[in-house]
Amino acid sequence: MKVVVFEDEKLASDRLIELLKTLKPEAEVLAAMKSIEAAVLWLQNNEHPDLIISDIQLLDGSSFEIFDQVEVKTPIIFTTAYDEYAIKAFEVNSIDYLLKPIQKEKLLGALNKFDEKVSGQANDNNGISIDEIRAVISGSSKEYKSRFLVKLGQRIKAVPVEKIAYFFSQDKLTYLVTFEGQKLPIDQTLEELESLLDPKHFYRVNRKFFVHFDAVTDIHPYFKGRVKLGLSPDINEDIVVSSEKTPAFKRWLDQ
């Protein structure tokens, strides 16, 4: 059994691989990757494994973006720290998952499920629907943040999300910029914003920027298949989307 692992936390990755080798000594871990970019590159240039174990959240975004860019028929076991409503939906849709921190007996159960599918239903990979999982995680049943509190001297101001054009990080701090051009510091990191912002309205275009749908004014071709964005309000910085992320970003804009 050949396996690849997509996990951005080294300790979690090492533990998962250790558990896997304990439970399935015959398993061969071909690669372990931390990012969407690395995973896409590997899948495009290597024969696909028998099994993928993937965290939902990777270093540079949601692992679903991998499967937007590469057609994968390999069975997938997802790992997730999402709450119970998502886990129940995974079960209803017959999706294999592991709730983090991963327990040995849970991993064994998921691997046994994989063995059963391989031995009894070799061509049945239809149970894994990336679109269904994406809908579970970003579906309308989830409540997203409606406003952010920012400190202005001795005052605290509430900024509704519909007035925010984009978020960006600078010098280890995070700022929001309103459509009126006001720049304000917030307590959350960009990583924390991943689960707080409605993905229909906001998109993390790179490691530094989260942009609102209406803030994107134009897209310019850039080097090596990348694109550069124009934003409103304007910012004196190149906002570049990687070549790997560009197709998914364009689909988001075309919703």
Side-chain angles (χ1 to χ4, degrees):
M1 178 173 65
K2 296 181 179 180
V3 183
V4 295
V5 173
F6 303 149
E7 169 61 67
D8 63 346
E9 298 178 10
K10 188 177 188 307
L11 289 177
S13 178
D14 290 347
R15 172 170 165 73
L16 175 59
I17 292 171
E18 182 181 352
L19 286 174
L20 181 61
K21 289 183 176 180
T22 299
L23 296 169
K24 297 285 183 179
E26 73 278 12
E28 180 184 359
V29 179
L30 301 177
M33 285 147 282
K34 297 181 178 181
S35 68
I36 296 164
E37 184 176 2
V40 168
L41 187 63
W42 193 94
L43 289 170
Q44 288 175 337
N45 291 280
N46 293 276
E47 184 178 348
H48 289 190
D50 301 310
L51 175 66
I52 293 172
I53 303 179
S54 175
D55 191 3
I56 287 177
Q57 191 60 45
L58 297 178
L59 198 62
D60 49 354
S62 165
S63 62
F64 302 141
E65 294 180 35
I66 297 168
F67 311 111
D68 287 335
Q69 299 175 54
V70 182
E71 183 180 2
V72 175
K73 296 183 178 180
T74 298
I76 306 166
I77 296 174
F78 285 99
T79 65
T80 175
Y82 282 92
D83 58 18
E84 188 175 351
Y85 88 89
I87 298 303
K88 288 181 178 178
F90 274 47
E91 291 173 337
V92 168
N93 290 301
S94 300
I95 302 299
D96 292 330
Y97 74 91
L98 294 170
L99 184 61
K100 299 171 78 172
I102 296 169
Q103 299 177 6
K104 185 176 181 179
E105 60 272 20
K106 296 292 186 181
L107 177 58
L108 179 60
L111 292 172
N112 288 339
K113 268 189 178 181
F114 165 75
D115 288 339
E116 291 172 5
K117 287 182 179 180
V118 170
S119 61
Q121 302 174 8
N123 297 318
D124 182 16
N125 289 324
N126 296 325
I128 295 174
S129 168
I130 302 304
D131 289 337
E132 286 180 1
I133 303 171
R134 192 198 310 272
V136 168
I137 299 304
S138 63
S140 59
S141 61
K142 182 176 173 68
E143 292 186 5
Y144 296 99
K145 202 164 180 63
S146 61
R147 62 181 60 83
F148 286 83
L149 299 180
V150 298
K151 294 179 181 179
L152 296 174
Q154 299 300 314
R155 297 188 301 117
I156 295 178
K157 178 180 180 179
V159 182
V161 290
E162 59 266 22
K163 293 187 177 182
I164 300 172
Y166 49 86
F167 299 83
F168 72 98
S169 62
Q170 184 180 60
D171 299 326
K172 298 183 179 180
L173 297 175
T174 307
Y175 298 89
L176 65 79
V177 176
T178 67
F179 282 103
E180 296 176 348
Q182 191 174 21
K183 174 184 170 183
L184 300 167
I186 61 172
D187 294 331
Q188 293 83 2
T189 65
L190 291 188
E191 285 69 30
E192 290 170 335
L193 292 178
E194 292 269 5
S195 62
L196 298 176
L197 298 173
D198 188 341
K200 291 182 179 179
H201 300 141
F202 288 91
Y203 193 94
R204 188 171 184 177
V205 294
N206 56 35
R207 292 185 180 183
K208 290 188 64 177
F209 280 84
F210 241 119
V211 303
H212 190 282
F213 187 90
D214 293 330
V216 181
T217 57
D218 43 46
I219 304 176
H220 305 280
Y222 205 58
F223 301 108
K224 297 182 179 180
R226 296 176 292 172
V227 295
K228 186 168 70 171
L229 306 184
L231 298 180
S232 178
D234 191 20
I235 186 168
N236 188 26
E237 183 172 343
D238 287 343
I239 316 301
V240 178
V241 184
S242 70
S243 58
E244 292 81 9
K245 207 164 191 174
T246 292
F249 174 68
K250 288 182 176 179
R251 283 193 291 273
W252 175 75
L253 276 182
D254 195 35
Q255 61 185 317

